[in-house]
């Protein structure tokens, strides 16, 4: 993401102009733009002209439109349907990252009239990569929104982990960046079972075809030549990963692909997972061999911290709290060491709800606590969403029942004081 312009005063009023460049930038914009915001971006509008003879002709016009947002929709780049065929790999052995495939649609009414669109007309902006988007927030730029902008414009981002999660006859190719897990391709092929009738021949043919197709998909969908890609994970239950890696290494050698051979030697890590599905990536990120190499990345920290929370929930539950009300009580007592919160909660259509969570984040940070905002485009963020979207690891144990009893006593005390004031008045 490129920062084109930023004008925000000390009260949070102002505007920011950004230029998205990839899928992750679209995700950042989705998290930044809310209902009521003013957004200006390029649009294509079909315009009709009536000639002097009464005939009409229509043509498409590119223009900049400013709208007040009523709805924001995001769809990630979906992987193609599982297939048993894959185009032949580039014989040069080169590997490129997939193009931008995420879609961001922003709908609302036009707030600035222009020659082609009337004021108040309804329009949907289809945000394009490398096109400027100007955002002016209805309720000002809070600390979470400003932090999101600052994080989005850090140069040198992109996919840091490539992963192939495979089983016998199945494979999912994934790219993990700071905020997204993108499934770039899925593969599913039937593998005949070994039987007394067919013998081993049909099964061996099926496996050979699967490995060949997987190799071609690997070359096309894993950008192994990219410097920023730190690790390539091959994960599976059982021993499938060993056979897959052995085939890829052998085929790269047979084809003389030196770049791929070097990448396989320097970047590949084999990891055991319990199932051949994408959600197993949570297990991958928790594995010691991966955690050691990715300890400084955001998504690895999220996975490790969520795992720590779940373990603590089973062994030291007075220090593992979750749910909006309980976490707020822990924050009031200055007990939060680490706050785990989903970016879903900041996308609330109710401004008061967002402000509540922003205040909670700022309060924890002011008291020296750590805040991790989980991306719901990662498996760890989806797991946190299933747990209300917010959790906390406390610095000291607190009994929920005792704290709730104290709150009830305080509430009763305040009620009595109000009644006494009313009677005295």
């Amino acid at each position: 993401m490129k920062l084109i312009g930023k004008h925000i005063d000390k009260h949070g009023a102002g505007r920011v102009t950004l230029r998205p460049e990839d899928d992750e930038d679209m995700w950042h914009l989705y998290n930044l733009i809310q209902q009521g915001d003013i957004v200006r971006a390029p649009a294509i509008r079909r315009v009709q002209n009536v000639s002097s003879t009464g005939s009409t002709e229509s043509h498409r016009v590119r223009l900049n439109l400013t709208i007040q947002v009523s709805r924001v929709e995001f769809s990630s780049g979906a992987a193609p349907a599982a297939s048993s065929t894959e185009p032949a790999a580039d014989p040069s052995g080169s590997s490129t990252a997939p193009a931008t495939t995420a879609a961001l649609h922003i709908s609302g009414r036009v707030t600035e009239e222009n020659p082609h669109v009337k004021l108040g007309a309804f329009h949907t902006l289809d945000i394009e990569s490398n096109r400027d988007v100007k955002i002016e927030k209805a309720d000002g730029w809070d600390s979470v929104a400003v932090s999101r902008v600052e994080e989005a414009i850090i140069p040198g981002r992109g996919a840091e982990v490539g992963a192939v999660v495979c089983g016998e006859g199945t494979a999912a190719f994934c790219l993990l960046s700071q905020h997204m897990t993108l499934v770039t391709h899925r593969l599913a092929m039937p593998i005949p079972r070994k039987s007394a009738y067919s013998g081993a021949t049909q099964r061996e043919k099926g496996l050979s075809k699967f490995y060949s197709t997987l190799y071609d998909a690997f070359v096309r969908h894993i950008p192994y030549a990219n410097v920023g890609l730190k690790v390539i994970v091959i994960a599976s239950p059982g021993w499938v990963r060993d056979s897959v890696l052995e085939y890829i290494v052998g085929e790269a050698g047979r084809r003389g692909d030196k770049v791929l051979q070097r990448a396989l030697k320097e970047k590949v890590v084999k990891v055991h997972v319990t199932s051949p599905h994408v959600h197993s990536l949570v297990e991958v990120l928790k594995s010691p061999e991966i955690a050691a190499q990715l300890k400084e990345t955001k998504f690895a920290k999220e996975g490790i911290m969520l795992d720590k929370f779940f373990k603590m929930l089973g062994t030291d539950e007075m220090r593992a709290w979750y749910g909006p009300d309980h976490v707020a009580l822990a924050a009031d007592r200055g007990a939060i060491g680490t706050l785990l919160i989903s970016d879903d909660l900041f996308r609330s259509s109710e401004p008061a709800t967002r402000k509540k969570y922003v205040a909670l984040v700022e309060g924890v940070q002011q008291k020296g606590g750590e805040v991790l905002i989980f991306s719901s485009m990662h498996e760890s963020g989806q797991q946190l969403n299933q747990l209300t979207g917010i959790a906390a690891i406390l610095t000291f144990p607190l009994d929920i029942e005792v704290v709730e009893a104290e709150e009830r006593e305080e509430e009763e005390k305040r009620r009595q004081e109000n009644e006494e004031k009313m009677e005295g008045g």
Side-chain angles (χ1 to χ4, degrees):
M1 185 95 77
K2 288 184 178 178
L3 179 65
I4 305 303
K6 180 181 176 184
H7 305 281
I8 302 175
D9 63 24
K10 62 181 180 180
H11 304 294
R15 62 191 180 277
V16 172
T17 303
L18 299 165
R19 184 178 297 163
E21 297 175 308
D22 54 27
D23 287 350
E24 191 163 359
D25 292 342
M26 295 295 184
W27 177 250
H28 281 302
L29 288 176
Y30 176 60
N31 282 277
L32 280 170
I33 298 169
Q34 292 181 287
Q35 186 175 337
D37 291 351
I38 303 297
V39 172
R40 183 175 179 81
I44 296 176
R45 190 90 171 187
R46 184 173 291 279
V47 176
Q48 285 192 337
N49 292 329
V50 181
S51 68
S52 57
T53 60
S55 62
T56 62
E57 63 174 19
S58 64
H59 59 280
R60 294 160 72 85
V61 177
R62 179 175 285 279
L63 65 164
N64 286 314
L65 284 184
T66 304
I67 66 172
Q68 184 170 31
V69 179
S70 60
R71 187 175 63 195
V72 185
E73 294 179 341
F74 174 87
S75 60
S76 62
S83 65
S84 60
T85 60
E86 181 73 20
D90 186 342
S92 67
S94 64
S95 174
T96 57
T100 302
T101 54
L104 180 63
H105 309 291
I106 304 170
S107 303
R109 297 200 176 275
V110 175
T111 59
E112 292 183 13
E113 194 169 9
N114 68 55
H116 300 293
V117 184
K118 293 181 179 179
L119 191 69
F122 193 84
H123 188 84
T124 297
L125 296 172
D126 300 318
I127 303 302
E128 302 175 48
S129 59
N130 297 308
R131 302 281 183 179
D132 295 355
V133 179
K134 184 168 74 174
I135 308 166
E136 188 172 342
K137 300 201 73 64
D139 295 303
W141 291 83
D142 56 44
S143 61
V144 171
V146 172
S147 296
R148 170 73 72 163
V149 171
E150 291 172 349
E151 190 175 347
I153 62 176
I154 296 173
R157 296 178 307 106
E160 294 181 289
V161 176
V164 183
V165 184
C166 47
E168 194 170 89
T170 66
F173 299 82
C174 312
L175 295 177
L176 284 75
S177 58
Q178 293 283 35
H179 292 269
M180 294 185 73
T181 298
L182 183 65
V183 180
T184 58
H185 187 69
R186 294 181 189 271
L187 187 65
M189 298 177 64
I191 305 295
R193 290 172 177 250
K194 185 177 180 180
S195 65
Y197 175 75
S198 63
T201 307
Q202 293 301 316
R203 177 174 174 79
E204 288 171 357
K205 284 182 179 179
L207 284 172
S208 179
K209 185 178 179 182
F210 169 62
Y211 293 144
S212 176
T213 307
L214 189 148
Y215 175 89
D216 291 338
F218 181 94
V219 170
R220 286 190 170 273
H221 298 287
I222 301 295
Y224 55 84
N226 288 8
V227 176
L229 195 73
K230 298 177 180 177
V231 180
I232 299 172
V233 175
I234 299 181
S236 76
W239 305 104
V240 177
R241 60 191 178 278
D242 297 306
S243 301
V244 166
L245 180 58
E246 183 181 345
Y247 184 91
I248 294 175
V249 169
E251 191 67 10
R254 189 181 70 81
R255 300 189 186 193
D257 191 336
K258 301 295 185 183
V259 177
L260 178 53
Q261 286 178 300
R262 185 168 62 251
L264 293 172
K265 183 178 180 180
E266 296 174 354
K267 298 181 179 182
V268 168
V269 178
K270 295 183 293 183
V271 178
H272 172 78
V273 290
T274 54
S275 77
H277 302 293
V278 174
H279 61 73
S280 298
L281 286 173
V282 173
E283 297 176 50
V284 170
L285 295 176
K286 288 189 297 187
S287 63
E289 55 267 56
I290 298 300
Q293 296 186 54
L294 302 175
K295 59 184 178 182
E296 296 304 318
T297 61
K298 179 180 182 294
F299 58 84
K301 286 181 181 177
E302 291 173 1
I304 292 168
M305 197 57 70
L306 188 64
D307 187 45
K308 180 180 177 181
F309 173 83
F310 281 125
K311 287 178 179 176
M312 192 170 285
L313 196 60
T315 60
D316 191 5
E317 63 177 12
M318 288 190 182
R319 289 185 55 210
W321 285 30
Y322 65 92
D325 295 338
H326 287 166
V327 171
L329 290 175
D332 289 341
R333 284 156 175 76
I336 295 181
T338 305
L339 176 67
L340 290 61
I341 184 167
S342 168
D343 56 13
D344 258 0
L345 300 181
F346 298 105
R347 290 198 297 271
S348 172
S349 58
E350 295 292 331
T353 301
R354 178 183 170 93
K355 287 178 180 178
K356 178 181 73 174
Y357 289 118
V358 170
L360 177 63
V361 166
E362 292 174 345
V364 170
Q365 290 172 332
Q366 287 168 5
K367 292 174 182 175
E370 180 185 15
V371 176
L372 292 177
I373 299 179
F374 281 56
S375 170
S376 51
M377 285 295 287
H378 279 314
E379 291 294 326
S380 56
Q382 292 168 21
Q383 284 192 0
L384 183 60
N385 284 339
Q386 293 172 5
L387 199 72
T388 74
I390 186 167
I393 296 174
L394 309 190
T395 53
F396 52 87
L398 284 175
D399 189 319
I400 290 177
E401 294 181 358
V402 171
V403 172
E404 288 180 334
E406 290 174 352
E407 286 294 311
R408 286 193 295 270
E409 289 177 7
E410 285 293 322
E411 183 65 30
E412 180 63 22
K413 185 178 179 181
R414 285 193 294 269
R415 188 183 65 79
Q416 290 177 356
E417 287 176 353
N418 289 336
E419 288 177 354
E420 289 172 1
K421 286 180 181 178
M422 291 177 66
E423 290 174 358

